[in-house]
Amino acid sequence: MYRLTIVLLAAFDAVIAAVVGLAASLAPLTLLWVFGFDGLPDLGTLWPAAGTVWQLGHLVPLAITLPPEYVAAIGVDPAAASFPLSLAPLAFAGFTAVFAARSGRRAADAGSGLVGASAGSVVFAAIATLVALSARTDVAVADPALAIVLPALVFAVPAVVAAIVAQWDDADAGPVAVVRDRLERARAEEAVRATAAGLAVIAAGVVGLGGLVVVAAVIAGMGEVISLTQAAGVDLVGSLVLALGSFLYLPTLWGWGVAFAAGPGFTLGEGTAIAPGGTDAGIVPGIPILGLLPSGTSPWLLLLGLLPVGVGALAGLIVRRRLRDGAVGDAPVATRAIVAGVLGLLAAGIGALLAVVTSGGIGPGRFERVGPEPGPLALVLGLEVVVGAAILLLSPRGLDDDETDEAYRDEDRGAFDGAPAPVEFADPAPDPADDVTEDLSDLRGSGGEDPPR
């Protein structure tokens, strides 16, 4: 496929990803305006609000300053009229990342993965620039540089990673092929492939842990969520807006679930802690989705810490099998120890990144910082994963595995080393009937007809 076509398709993917995200923020605000104010929507007011929500969903922090008349009307302390809002509704960023990864992989399949990923990232950054310039409001102010860079990174990183992964085996030229060939010459490609497989298992396992905790929280706290929604006294449209907002923040709670399962937990402001070892949430705001937070704790919840260890063990098992398939026999202990350490570091990086994107401010005072802390989550998650990975990577191999590898190495005979030699049978004695049959065949062949009886 021509490179220009790949660039145009990648640019189109970036436009679709941005437009869908902006529409997802503009549509509910328009419905709220129509049914709440009984009038035609004012695009001059709705567009800045929608663009600001889209920016927040792409990790752009906002500085909120409530108007003085609004502060006087609701009786809020003027000192609390200004506060940071940086807890992102990650559904926006998640959709953009998935769409970007799909675009990067498709460009790689067409033969120009990095070119397509770069083109899509540039277009998405241009759209973010237009949003930053046009969606300005005095109530919520974003730093112009962050409003451009952070959305662009949300698109660029998944697109580039997906393009590299998809192009690793098939690339004949370019930076991906150069790196792969150098690893092959250094005899490190198999270790890199095995580590990448382990990383994929860890990432999937971490996502699964967060989902397990969130599902359990929904089952246990749905009644509290309904009660908080009813206590808000909103109509049908307001209930739909609250439900949509809760859905947009569901991936954020997913990250909190990972922190809870790993052990460090998270905070709901200064002086609070929500973890398996103990819960002290303080005064919880009447936001319906916060009804999913646990109200108590149990010693049995400490067993959740075994789940990341199990994820690490599964990753270690898969890595060891891949290392064994890529070499003659098992890999050296030093190699396996290094791989286990790398898996622990990668898991720590996942934990730190998860804590960064799922924490932030939601209000003044103690609510200026909620969510998990990057340091504790990275340390604990990394240690749990490396322990599980080391159990499978560094454990002695069983006798059956050794015999199986010996069988594969003995390709000439196709049998296990040390097995008894095959028994050779002597040729059987000639049967006299065979001579008679041969004589009859000779007679039949010489005359063309059966001999006379």
Side-chain angles (χ1 to χ4, degrees):
M1 185 179 294
Y2 293 108
R3 182 167 294 185
L4 178 60
T5 304
I6 296 174
V7 169
L8 292 177
L9 289 176
F12 182 74
D13 288 339
V15 172
I16 293 298
V19 169
V20 171
L22 289 169
S25 60
L26 183 61
L29 293 177
T30 303
L31 293 176
L32 183 62
W33 182 286
V34 171
F35 292 99
F37 297 98
D38 295 329
L40 295 176
D42 182 8
L43 189 60
T45 303
L46 290 177
W47 169 247
T52 301
V53 172
W54 183 84
Q55 290 175 335
L56 179 63
H58 286 80
L59 310 177
V60 179
L62 304 175
I64 304 298
T65 303
L66 300 178
E69 57 274 12
Y70 179 78
V71 173
I74 62 176
V76 177
D77 185 1
S82 299
F83 56 90
L85 178 61
S86 54
L87 184 66
L90 288 181
F92 288 102
F95 172 80
T96 299
V98 171
F99 212 86
R102 177 178 174 273
S103 176
R105 186 175 186 84
R106 187 169 63 179
D109 293 338
S112 298
L114 294 181
V115 173
S118 301
S121 302
V122 170
V123 172
F124 199 87
I127 296 175
T129 302
L130 294 176
V131 174
L133 294 176
S134 60
R136 293 183 175 183
T137 173
D138 295 334
V139 176
V141 179
D143 182 88
L146 294 180
I148 298 171
V149 173
L150 292 178
L153 287 177
V154 171
F155 187 96
V157 172
V160 172
V161 171
I164 292 175
V165 171
Q167 210 170 3
W168 185 266
D169 291 327
D170 300 330
D172 297 328
V176 176
V178 171
V179 174
R180 183 197 61 207
D181 295 340
R182 288 182 179 179
L183 289 174
E184 288 180 351
R185 287 193 295 268
R187 297 182 179 180
E189 187 192 9
E190 294 298 335
V192 172
R193 286 179 179 272
T195 305
L199 175 61
V201 172
I202 293 171
V206 167
V207 172
L209 290 180
L212 179 64
V213 174
V214 170
V215 170
V218 170
I219 295 174
M222 183 53 68
E224 183 67 20
V225 173
I226 295 174
S227 299
L228 290 175
T229 304
Q230 293 175 344
V234 294
D235 55 7
L236 178 60
V237 177
S239 299
L240 292 177
V241 172
L242 288 176
L244 179 60
S246 299
F247 173 78
L248 295 177
Y249 272 99
L250 193 60
T252 307
L253 293 187
W254 207 293
W256 293 11
V258 173
F260 188 86
F266 54 94
T267 65
L268 201 63
E270 186 178 358
T272 65
I274 301 174
T279 297
D280 182 13
I283 300 175
V284 180
I287 302 175
I289 195 173
L290 295 181
L292 299 179
L293 300 181
S295 57
T297 187
S298 169
W300 293 102
L301 292 177
L302 296 175
L303 296 177
L304 290 173
L306 296 177
L307 296 179
V309 178
V311 171
L314 179 59
L317 176 63
I318 292 177
V319 168
R320 187 162 187 176
R321 286 183 175 178
R322 284 181 172 266
L323 289 174
R324 188 183 307 165
D325 293 340
V328 178
D330 205 2
V333 175
T335 301
R336 288 181 275 133
I338 293 174
V339 172
V342 171
L343 290 179
L345 291 176
L346 293 175
I350 292 175
L353 178 63
L354 198 62
V356 169
V357 300
T358 60
S359 60
I362 58 173
R366 70 181 182 94
F367 296 111
E368 291 185 358
R369 180 70 182 182
V370 300
E373 292 292 334
L377 181 55
L379 178 61
V380 174
L381 187 61
L383 288 176
E384 290 171 340
V385 169
V386 77
V387 168
I391 291 175
L392 269 295
L393 279 171
L394 303 181
S395 62
R397 299 175 57 197
L399 180 61
D400 294 338
D401 292 336
D402 292 333
E403 292 178 350
T404 302
D405 281 347
E406 293 292 338
Y408 281 111
R409 283 199 295 268
D410 193 1
E411 296 177 354
D412 293 333
R413 293 184 302 159
F416 292 95
D417 283 348
V423 179
E424 296 183 0
F425 294 97
D427 293 337
D431 190 352
D434 295 337
D435 296 335
V436 176
T437 304
E438 292 178 359
D439 294 338
L440 292 176
S441 299
D442 293 339
L443 291 174
R444 185 184 298 112
S446 60
E449 295 179 356
D450 292 337
R453 302 187 181 216

